[in-house]
């Protein structure tokens, strides 16, 4: 019926408990041994797991694939070979959805949950390997916030006066949207941003590197503002930029920002709660669409170059723009060198002129050796 990637065993039935020496490797050894170990009867806790899966599938809160996989889980369990380690049906398309449901049930029932893709979760909450543990912790937090928001979210009610309650309502709508657009949460956080929404650190892979979001909710007394920025990060760009900068120069004023950013949203919330999902699914989603369109070095270049065309820059970013132009393989690169030099010479800022004059020759020399990536 399906690929078997999920397996469970009962620590009350077999002598296999986590200790300070436990690891993914040890769990794999346990799995291989227990899958061959016969038992008189399948653990009642595993039988209970099958019954609970039937109950979950019967709620119709999940996908059709989930329903078909688990609506008869209790009957299938009766046919399972009597071994200490029991397989749980896992269709390929169901992996993420089933993991989100089954792993917490196993913890509740005292079962070890083993995923052959590379994860084991013990009933005491220990998860290996550590990077998976961090991801599961974020999932658990998301489920808890979603459950809380179900009681708080009342479309016709006023926006809560307390920011924590506002964020509880906002959280599931925002993160469902971010997941649809392919963003993943990261453990990296900004020292300058306190963001209990966990938006800070969400990233998405792009052809040039990745997009990183930062920001969150601000305000109080029922008047809140959501302000989020998208930062464009490129390892290839950073490598060149570091070479251009003098060894004594502070080249990283933040741990991630090397390219310019755009404002994803800056919206006030001060009325009915129903505006929150409406905003997320329209305005916020449209801003993420704009970010997705900036998918190449040429698009990154145009993002900055258009500022010059509108008179918003007087040369302070010409080094960034020329690096992007070279990586984009623009045919007008030589003309841009002349154009940007003129903008630099006409800058009203002596600081900008002095800074770029010190870098100009070195910048052009380094870029003469760079091969375009597009």
């Amino acid at each position: 019926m399906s690929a078997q990637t999920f397996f469970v065993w009962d620590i009350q039935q077999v002598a296999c408990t986590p200790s300070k020496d436990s690891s993914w490797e040890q769990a794999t050894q346990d799995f291989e041994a227990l899958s061959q170990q016969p038992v008189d009867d399948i653990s009642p806790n595993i039988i209970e797991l099958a019954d609970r899966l039937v109950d979950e599938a019967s709620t119709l809160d999940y996908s059709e694939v989930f329903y078909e996989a688990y609506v008869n889980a209790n009957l299938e369990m009766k046919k399972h070979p009597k071994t200490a380690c029991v397989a749980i049906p896992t269709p390929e398309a169901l992996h993420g959805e089933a993991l989100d449901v089954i792993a917490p049930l196993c913890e509740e029932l005292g079962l070890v949950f083993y995923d052959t893709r590379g994860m084991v979760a013990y009933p005491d909450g220990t998860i290996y390997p550590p990077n998976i543990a961090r991801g599961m912790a974020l999932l658990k937090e998301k489920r808890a916030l979603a459950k809380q928001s179900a009681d708080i979210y009342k479309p016709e009610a006023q926006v809560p006066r307390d920011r924590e309650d506002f964020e509880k309502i906002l959280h599931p709508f925002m993160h469902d949207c971010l997941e649809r657009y392919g963003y993943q949460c990261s453990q990296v956080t900004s020292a300058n941003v306190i963001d209990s929404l966990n938006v800070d650190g969400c990233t998405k892979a792009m052809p040039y590197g990745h997009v990183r979001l930062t920001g969150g909710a601000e305000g109080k007394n029922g008047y809140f503002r959501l302000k989020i920025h998208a930062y464009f990060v490129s390892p290839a760009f950073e490598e060149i930029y570091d070479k251009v900068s003098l060894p004594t120069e502070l080249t990283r004023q933040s741990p991630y920002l090397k390219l310019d950013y755009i404002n994803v949203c800056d919206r006030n919330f001060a009325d009915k709660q129903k505006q929150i999902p409406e905003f997320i699914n329209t305005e916020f989603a449209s801003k993420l669409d704009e970010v997705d369109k900036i998918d190449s070095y040429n698009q990154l270049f145009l993002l900055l170059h258009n500022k010059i065309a509108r008179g918003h820059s007087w040369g302070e970013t010409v080094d960034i723009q020329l690096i992007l132009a070279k990586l984009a393989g623009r045919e007008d690169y030589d003309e841009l060198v002349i154009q940007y030099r003129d903008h630099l010479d006409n800058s009203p800022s002596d600081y900008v002129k002095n800074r770029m004059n010190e870098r100009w020759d070195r910048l052009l020399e380094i870029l003469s050796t760079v091969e375009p990536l597009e």
Side-chain angles (χ1 to χ4, degrees):
M1 169 182 175
S2 60
Q4 308 294 337
T5 60
F6 293 168
F7 294 83
V8 298
W9 58 87
D10 189 345
I11 61 172
Q12 298 180 24
Q13 186 181 42
V14 296
C16 180
T17 58
S19 68
K20 64 179 182 180
D21 298 321
S22 295
S23 65
W24 164 249
E25 291 76 13
Q26 180 61 51
T28 300
Q29 294 177 22
D30 294 337
F31 160 70
E32 293 172 349
L34 295 174
S35 60
Q36 303 297 321
Q37 180 178 320
V39 293
D40 294 333
D41 293 292
I42 293 177
S43 164
N45 288 328
I46 297 179
I47 299 296
E48 175 68 14
L49 172 64
D51 291 338
R52 297 277 285 275
L53 286 175
V54 172
D55 292 340
E56 290 289 335
S58 300
T59 64
L60 301 180
D61 291 336
Y62 306 98
S63 67
E64 183 177 346
V65 178
F66 187 98
Y67 175 81
E68 292 179 351
Y70 299 119
V71 70
N72 294 315
N74 55 345
L75 300 178
E76 294 181 6
M77 190 60 67
K78 294 179 180 179
K79 303 175 184 177
H80 194 285
K82 293 181 179 180
T83 54
C85 179
V86 174
I88 305 297
T90 317
E92 180 65 26
L94 191 62
H95 185 272
E97 185 179 16
L99 173 65
D100 199 25
V101 176
I102 298 175
L105 287 177
C106 287
E107 181 177 340
E108 183 179 336
L109 295 170
L111 302 175
V112 177
F113 174 83
Y114 183 89
D115 182 353
T116 57
R117 290 189 176 189
M119 168 195 162
V120 61
Y122 289 97
D124 67 351
T126 305
I127 297 176
Y128 296 101
N131 62 316
I132 300 294
R134 290 191 292 269
M136 292 298 293
L138 290 174
L139 283 175
K140 183 180 293 186
E141 178 184 349
K142 178 181 175 182
R143 285 193 297 270
L145 286 172
K147 184 177 181 180
Q148 290 175 330
S149 68
D151 297 328
I152 297 174
Y153 177 63
K154 297 177 175 57
E156 297 303 323
Q158 296 293 317
V159 172
R161 295 182 63 81
D162 184 81
R163 191 178 81 169
E164 183 179 349
D165 287 338
F166 169 71
E167 291 180 340
K168 289 176 183 176
I169 295 173
L170 179 66
H171 185 279
F173 295 114
M174 171 169 287
H175 280 271
D176 283 348
C177 183
L178 290 173
E179 287 182 357
R180 290 199 305 272
Y181 276 82
Y183 285 86
Q184 295 182 338
C185 289
S186 167
Q187 294 300 308
V188 179
T189 58
S190 169
N192 299 318
V193 178
I194 299 175
D195 179 21
S196 59
L197 284 172
N198 290 330
V199 173
D200 191 48
C202 285
T203 61
K204 179 177 181 177
M206 298 293 278
Y208 53 79
H210 67 271
V211 176
R212 184 176 187 274
L213 302 183
T214 185
E218 303 172 349
K220 59 183 178 179
N221 297 328
Y223 293 87
F224 303 104
R225 183 173 68 167
L226 184 65
K227 191 170 185 179
I228 299 175
H229 292 111
Y231 293 86
F232 306 102
V233 182
S234 164
F237 172 92
E238 292 182 2
E239 182 179 358
I240 299 171
Y241 190 88
D242 286 343
K243 291 179 180 178
V244 172
S245 303
L246 292 170
T248 58
E249 187 174 343
L250 180 62
T251 60
R252 292 177 180 265
Q253 296 182 359
S254 65
Y256 53 85
L257 176 59
K258 279 297 187 68
L259 307 184
D260 205 1
Y261 64 87
I262 67 173
N263 201 18
V264 175
C265 58
D266 188 351
R267 163 71 181 272
N268 287 315
F269 297 85
D271 193 13
K272 299 293 195 318
Q273 294 180 27
K274 65 182 180 182
Q275 69 176 306
I276 295 174
E278 291 173 355
F279 164 76
I280 293 298
N281 292 320
T282 55
E283 296 180 45
F284 184 67
S286 70
K287 290 296 185 179
L288 294 181
D289 283 330
E290 291 181 17
V291 173
D292 277 356
K293 292 177 183 177
I294 305 173
D295 60 357
S296 65
Y297 286 106
N298 190 53
Q299 289 296 326
L300 290 168
F301 165 81
L302 291 174
L303 178 67
L304 300 183
H305 182 72
N306 290 339
K307 285 189 174 185
I308 286 186
R310 297 193 299 269
H312 292 171
S313 174
W314 284 89
E316 59 265 34
T317 61
V318 296
D319 49 353
I320 295 176
Q321 290 157 292
L322 283 178
I323 294 172
L324 293 173
K326 193 60 181 287
L327 291 173
R330 291 187 61 91
E331 294 181 357
D332 60 348
Y333 173 78
D334 291 337
E335 289 82 359
L336 289 170
V337 172
I338 298 173
Q339 177 185 345
Y340 288 164
R341 184 68 236 189
D342 289 340
H343 277 286
L344 180 61
D345 291 339
N346 291 325
S347 173
S349 170
D350 290 336
Y351 168 78
V352 169
K353 288 181 179 179
N354 294 334
R355 174 179 177 272
M356 283 308 305
N357 283 336
E358 292 178 356
R359 300 159 64 91
W360 187 258
D361 291 341
R362 186 167 63 258
L363 171 66
L364 296 185
E365 180 181 357
I366 291 173
L367 289 180
S368 68
T369 67
V370 172
E371 294 294 331
L373 297 181
E374 295 176 355

